[in-house]
Amino acid sequence: MARSRSIIIVGAGIGGLTAALTLTRAGYRAVVLEQAARLEEAGAGIQLSPNATRVLAGLGLTDRLRPHVVAPEAIRIMARSGREIVRIPLGASAEQRYGAPYWVIHRADLQAVLAAAIEQSPDITLRLGTRVEDFAVHQHGITVQARTTQNAGGEVTRDEQGLALIGADGLWSALRARLGERRAPRFAQRTAWRAVVPAPRLMPEFREPVTGLWLGRDAHLVHYPVKGGREVNIVAIVRDDWHEPGWSAPGKPDELARRFESFAPEVRALIAMPERWQKWALFDRPSRRMRPQGPVTLLGDAAHPMLPFLAQGGAMAIEDAAVLAQCLGRDEDTERALRAFEHARHRRVARAQREARRNSWRYHLTGPLGFARDTVLSALGGDRMLRRYDWLYGWQP
């Protein structure tokens, strides 16, 4: 494919890799520049709701993903006492309703499937160990200056030419800063503790093909199977401060156990199972559009970081990739196509961000407010709860 049809993508996370695949479907060549020397996806599990699996199916990835996924039968929302508040049907019900499945998967498995598809595409180049240092906009597109670390330890600087530059480099996006963003992400007063445990070690109720959500005071717990059901992903989110260097650190099990002392015995037993925890500080950004700067745009967390209280961080990046390719495929004017992409995505991702922030508050309610929340959820019932997310799961590119 002609060099003039190249799109340069910064970042080889879920959003960047998916964008490379969708762009080739629209007739472009993609060059993906990734700073890490190896693709290693951290964070353990990810939930892929129908709005995301629909895009992945359109890329022909269903059969490759199927051995790694679990289709949960339901989301069970539980009080910290162990009482079931409501059970939201998923499984066959969700697939029939939305025309695409609801899956859970280990992030590393999803990334490996995307990377394998990219390796088989003659129109995608993936450069690992490559750091973008600068870019310049010119009449025919964009030139990106990047520095690649070689196996022998030396570095090589090279220029990449393309029609457009897409920043998919995550929450701490260097490209976003280069576009004039002066404000740092804002700490959300929450930390997420993550671990994966072999399923045979757990009680039967935690091995079921179900996503469990336990609500409590200043803390909640999520668990679901990954690796085709062989392991269980556990995420504990607590109201917290952050004093560690960086934004991730090993977590002390005793510290986490104290935050769940008021939960049911089975939850405390589950919290005690992992031999090691990794904790992440959660950060947020306000919903606002960046100042346009030629044939350059952002997607995924670089554009609109999502707090994990709606399980839509990965899904929104996958949606971005699909819409980006559609806009570029429809309009030969690259800058106009990128502005159309930004306009098309702004209202939807802002709504998802707002809903995630609301859940951050709702999940940790106790006392009269917590009782009122549980009463409303129970009265709504699972079917009506699912219908409330038709706007989210029923999306199509």
Side-chain angles (χ1 to χ4, degrees):
M1 189 171 290
R3 184 175 178 178
S4 63
R5 298 287 290 176
S6 293
I7 305 290
I8 302 169
I9 301 170
V10 182
I14 290 168
L17 295 179
T18 306
L21 293 170
T22 59
L23 286 168
T24 61
R25 295 294 183 100
Y28 290 88
R29 179 176 181 271
V31 179
V32 184
L33 308 179
E34 168 56 47
Q35 184 169 318
R38 294 183 299 173
L39 292 183
E40 292 181 326
E41 183 60 78
I46 182 173
Q47 301 187 55
L48 294 174
S49 46
N51 47 311
T53 58
R54 182 177 291 110
V55 174
L56 298 174
L59 291 171
L61 300 178
T62 299
D63 289 341
R64 298 186 188 189
L65 288 167
R66 201 177 298 279
H68 306 290
V69 305
V70 174
E73 296 171 358
I75 299 173
R76 293 182 68 211
I77 302 181
M78 309 288 291
R80 60 179 175 172
S81 64
R83 174 179 57 86
E84 182 174 292
I85 301 170
V86 66
R87 185 183 182 100
I88 304 172
L90 293 179
S93 297
E95 186 163 3
Q96 182 177 3
R97 184 175 186 84
Y98 301 116
Y102 194 115
W103 283 344
V104 290
I105 186 172
H106 197 287
R107 285 177 177 269
D109 291 336
L110 174 58
Q111 189 177 60
V113 168
L114 294 171
I118 278 175
E119 187 175 348
Q120 294 171 5
S121 172
D123 293 324
I124 303 175
T125 300
L126 173 61
R127 301 196 197 285
L128 298 176
T130 300
R131 183 178 67 257
V132 172
E133 297 195 325
D134 203 356
F135 68 88
V137 177
H138 48 75
Q139 183 177 358
H140 301 292
I142 199 156
T143 299
V144 175
Q145 185 181 70
R147 187 180 298 272
T148 300
T149 302
Q150 298 179 309
N151 292 335
E155 292 186 333
V156 174
T157 300
R158 62 187 299 157
D159 289 344
E160 297 284 354
Q161 308 285 336
L163 284 176
L165 175 62
I166 312 301
D169 49 342
L171 172 69
W172 302 98
S173 169
L175 186 55
R176 182 175 182 129
R178 177 67 174 77
L179 290 173
E181 178 64 76
R182 298 288 179 248
R183 292 182 295 181
R186 177 183 58 205
F187 179 52
Q189 304 300 316
R190 302 283 194 277
T191 56
W193 299 57
R194 296 184 172 99
V196 177
V197 178
R201 294 178 54 194
L202 301 179
M203 292 181 288
E205 65 184 282
F206 293 119
R207 301 199 301 267
E208 294 176 349
V210 166
T211 295
L213 170 60
W214 299 72
L215 308 180
R217 179 187 296 276
D218 291 336
H220 75 273
L221 183 77
V222 179
H223 58 83
Y224 50 83
V226 292
K227 297 285 184 181
R230 298 184 301 277
E231 297 181 350
V232 173
N233 181 68
I234 307 171
V235 184
I237 297 183
V238 300
R239 179 180 290 278
D240 212 347
D241 295 320
W242 187 258
H243 305 292
E244 307 283 353
W247 57 279
S248 177
K252 298 177 181 178
D254 290 347
E255 179 185 344
L256 184 62
R258 288 194 295 272
R259 309 303 293 269
F260 285 85
E261 287 178 343
S262 63
F263 279 68
E266 57 265 41
V267 171
R268 299 200 303 271
L270 179 65
I271 290 287
M273 291 296 296
E275 296 177 358
R276 61 182 298 271
W277 289 90
Q278 191 74 10
K279 63 179 181 177
W280 278 262
L282 299 183
F283 288 85
D284 196 10
R285 284 188 188 273
S287 304
R288 72 183 188 94
R289 298 182 185 180
M290 296 293 296
R291 177 173 56 86
Q293 187 164 326
V296 184
T297 195
L298 306 171
L299 64 75
D301 280 352
H304 44 74
M306 302 289 301
L307 291 171
F309 307 104
L310 197 62
Q312 286 296 304
M316 287 295 119
I318 291 169
E319 284 188 16
D320 283 350
V323 177
L324 175 68
Q326 280 190 334
C327 291
L328 284 166
R330 282 197 299 254
D331 196 335
E332 287 294 324
D333 186 315
T334 305
E335 290 190 34
R336 190 167 60 204
L338 295 186
R339 302 295 85 81
F341 159 71
E342 293 161 359
H343 178 76
R345 294 301 292 159
H346 177 73
R347 182 174 296 180
R348 177 168 171 81
V349 297
R351 183 178 181 181
Q353 285 180 310
R354 289 194 302 270
E355 188 65 20
R357 292 181 190 122
R358 292 187 186 117
N359 281 347
S360 172
W361 173 73
R362 293 173 182 140
Y363 285 0
H364 292 186
L365 293 174
T366 56
L369 288 177
F371 177 79
R373 174 203 61 204
D374 296 352
T375 301
V376 169
L377 294 180
S378 180
L380 280 172
D383 290 334
R384 282 199 291 172
M385 282 286 293
L386 184 61
R387 287 200 297 271
R388 291 183 65 191
Y389 289 105
D390 283 353
W391 69 272
L392 185 61
Y393 300 156
W395 176 90
Q396 298 193 34

